[in-house]
């Protein structure tokens, strides 16, 4: 979609309106509007403003259509709590909730951005070495994925000690982990071994797994591959200052 087409699509679907309804309301052809939403046809800013105004976006001002600055204008710290609360409510709902009434003229500002970001922001749990959730962090996903893995399976692991300092991982640092059921040669991985959760660099060697750590010096521990359970690949490091 184009940026303007995306905006029109978001507002139209949020208000439960069909292409036919909006096209008739704005004196446009249904085909033209569909192509605008899909990014196949360019729509001028003034015409887009008229369409959005006709479907009820009265509070949108001309200045708000500087679409190249839209992403930077959204305060994620402000909208994230509302987004996550709504997402959790939707996940535990047993029955579909009734569609809320359309906001009146001058209604709640920012609704379109909340809708746009609902499928982008994810609340990711933070686990400690005892495998207890000690915190949550908000992170953006793309297409339902984070660092190439399913967004709903991502997690953070808090480093319990300095055994990986040689790999720039210190106690209290957070490692973003994405699912991986098999060891990846040369990768930092979150593992379950001998009833412990730990992060190690792994090396494959003739049916064995070398677990590499580095506190004061490099240590390589060979273990049978069958004795280790791979939780995931460490894809990102957030250091503690």
């Amino acid at each position: 979609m184009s940026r303007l087409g995306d905006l029109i699509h978001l507002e139209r679907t949020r208000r439960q309106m069909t292409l036919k309804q909006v096209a008739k309301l704005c004196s446009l052809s249904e085909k033209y509007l569909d192509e605008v939403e899909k990014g196949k046809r360019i729509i001028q800013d003034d015409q887009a403003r008229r369409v959005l105004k006709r479907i009820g976006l009265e509070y949108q001002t001309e200045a708000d259509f500087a679409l190249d600055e839209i992403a930077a204008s959204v305060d994620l710290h402000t909208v994230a709590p509302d987004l996550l609360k709504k997402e959790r409510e939707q996940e535990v709902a047993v029955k579909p909730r009734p569609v809320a009434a359309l906001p009146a003229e001058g209604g709640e500002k920012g609704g379109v951005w909340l809708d746009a970001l609902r499928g982008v922001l994810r609340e990711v749990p933070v686990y400690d070495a005892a495998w207890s959730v000690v915190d949550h962090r908000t992170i953006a996903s793309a297409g339902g994925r984070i660092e190439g893995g399913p967004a709903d399976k991502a997690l953070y692991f808090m480093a319990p000690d300095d055994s990986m300092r040689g790999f720039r991982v210190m106690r209290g640092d957070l490692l973003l982990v994405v699912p991986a059921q098999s060891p990846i040669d040369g990768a930092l991985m979150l593992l379950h071994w001998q009833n412990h959760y730990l992060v190690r660099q792994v090396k494959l060697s003739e049916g064995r797994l070398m677990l590499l750590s580095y506190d004061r010096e490099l240590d390589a521990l060979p273990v049978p591959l069958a004795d280790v359970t791979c939780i995931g690949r460490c894809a990102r490091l957030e250091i503690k200052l």
Side-chain angles (χ1 to χ4, degrees):
M1 296 182 181
S2 67
R3 302 297 292 276
L4 283 173
D6 204 4
L7 184 60
I8 292 171
H9 176 77
L10 283 170
E11 274 300 305
R12 177 179 66 78
T13 54
R14 188 168 74 92
R15 296 165 188 274
Q16 301 293 309
M17 300 178 72
T18 65
L19 273 169
K20 185 175 182 180
Q21 289 173 326
V22 176
K24 183 177 180 181
L25 187 65
C26 301
S27 300
L28 299 172
S29 73
E30 186 176 347
K31 180 181 178 182
Y32 172 78
L33 188 61
D34 182 53
E35 290 179 347
V36 167
E37 288 192 359
K38 292 178 179 178
K40 296 180 179 180
R41 181 169 296 198
I42 296 174
I43 185 172
Q44 299 299 318
D45 287 6
D46 57 345
Q47 189 175 30
R49 284 194 291 271
R50 285 196 299 271
V51 171
L52 290 167
K53 186 174 181 179
R54 286 292 183 87
I55 63 178
L57 194 63
E58 298 289 349
Y59 54 78
Q60 193 80 19
T61 65
E62 184 170 346
D64 291 324
F65 281 91
L67 296 180
D68 290 338
E69 300 176 358
I70 280 176
S73 69
V74 179
D75 186 348
L76 296 182
H77 296 290
T78 299
V79 303
D82 291 337
L83 280 174
L84 297 173
K85 180 180 178 182
K86 290 181 180 179
E87 186 174 79
R88 285 195 295 268
E89 289 174 349
Q90 289 176 342
E91 289 175 352
V92 301
V94 177
K95 296 181 179 180
R97 292 180 296 170
V99 178
L102 296 182
E105 183 174 346
E108 181 184 356
K109 193 168 184 177
V112 63
W113 310 131
L114 292 179
D115 284 343
L117 291 171
R118 182 174 293 114
V120 175
L121 295 181
R122 303 290 301 187
E123 190 177 45
V124 178
V126 179
Y127 287 85
D128 63 9
W131 209 242
S132 298
V133 177
V134 295
D135 198 1
H136 289 81
R137 296 180 69 83
T138 302
I139 188 171
S141 64
R145 303 184 75 79
I146 294 175
E147 294 290 346
D152 59 342
K153 301 296 183 182
L155 61 92
Y156 277 99
F157 182 73
M158 182 183 294
D161 51 40
D162 293 337
S163 61
M164 296 295 286
R165 71 166 68 230
F167 296 93
R168 299 182 298 173
V169 180
M170 305 290 287
R171 180 178 181 178
D173 290 348
L174 298 181
L175 291 142
L176 178 63
V177 180
V178 294
Q181 297 180 346
S182 300
I184 302 172
D185 191 42
L188 288 186
M189 302 200 69
L190 176 61
L191 310 168
H192 187 235
W193 177 65
Q194 293 188 342
N195 295 321
H196 293 287
Y197 290 93
L198 67 164
V199 170
R200 292 291 185 266
Q201 186 184 51
V202 300
K203 293 287 186 180
L204 299 174
S205 177
E206 299 180 352
R208 284 178 167 261
L209 200 60
M210 300 292 292
L211 305 184
L212 276 63
S213 59
Y214 199 134
D215 187 350
R216 300 300 178 183
E217 59 183 17
L218 181 65
D219 181 47
L221 178 65
V223 298
L225 186 58
D227 291 352
V228 180
T229 300
C230 295
I231 306 298
R233 171 180 61 87
C234 300
R236 189 185 305 175
L237 171 66
E238 295 186 15
I239 65 173
K240 181 180 179 181
L241 297 177

